Amino acid sequence: RAEEDAEHFYFIQKGVAIVTLSHRNKAVRKLGAGDFFGERALLMNDTRSANVVVESDKLEICGMDKAGFMRLLGPLYDKFRAGFKTYEFDDIPINDDDDGNISEIE
């Protein structure tokens, strides 16, 4: 959830989720198998900036803790971090059937 401390990075194995930003109350990205989330807060050493809302009946994820994520990035850390400082989200249409509940992923 947005504004919470970040300790993990996640990969989606199966299912669909929507990323929403609480200050814009709009969906900004649709995630599916092979996509990932949670990287921005770890890279920026910040709280989470978005919510991940499950759209499909089931969402299967796997993840790693912050230490594992940093080891994985290694020397690329600075390049990824610099990219997030200028990243902007686009709005996407949100599903009309959305119940508004935020998923409890962690």
Side-chain angles (χ1 to χ4, degrees):
R1 292 181 188 221
E3 307 303 320
E4 290 184 358
D5 290 337
E7 293 297 325
H8 294 88
F9 168 73
Y10 300 97
F11 296 96
I12 296 179
Q13 294 179 300
K14 187 177 186 179
V16 177
I18 300 291
V19 177
T20 65
L21 300 178
S22 56
H23 68 278
R24 288 173 56 187
N25 199 25
K26 290 188 177 187
V28 293
R29 190 168 169 210
K30 193 170 198 170
L31 304 173
D35 289 327
F36 53 87
F37 60 96
E39 73 284 358
R40 192 212 62 85
L42 297 180
L43 285 167
M44 303 307 290
N45 198 26
D46 197 2
T47 58
R48 297 203 182 277
S49 64
N51 303 303
V52 175
V53 181
V54 177
E55 186 176 67
S56 56
D57 291 335
K58 184 177 182 182
L59 186 70
E60 293 180 16
I61 60 172
C62 65
M64 64 180 68
D65 65 11
K66 186 175 186 174
F69 178 72
M70 295 304 188
R71 281 193 306 272
L72 178 69
L73 285 182
L76 298 175
Y77 172 79
D78 290 332
K79 289 185 182 200
F80 279 99
R81 185 177 162 90
F84 271 101
K85 289 180 180 178
T86 60
Y87 187 83
E88 292 187 25
F89 289 100
D90 294 326
D91 293 340
I92 64 168
I94 197 162
N95 184 341
D96 290 334
D97 297 331
D98 182 21
D99 62 6
N101 292 328
I102 298 173
S103 64
E104 295 291 337
I105 295 205
E106 276 194 294

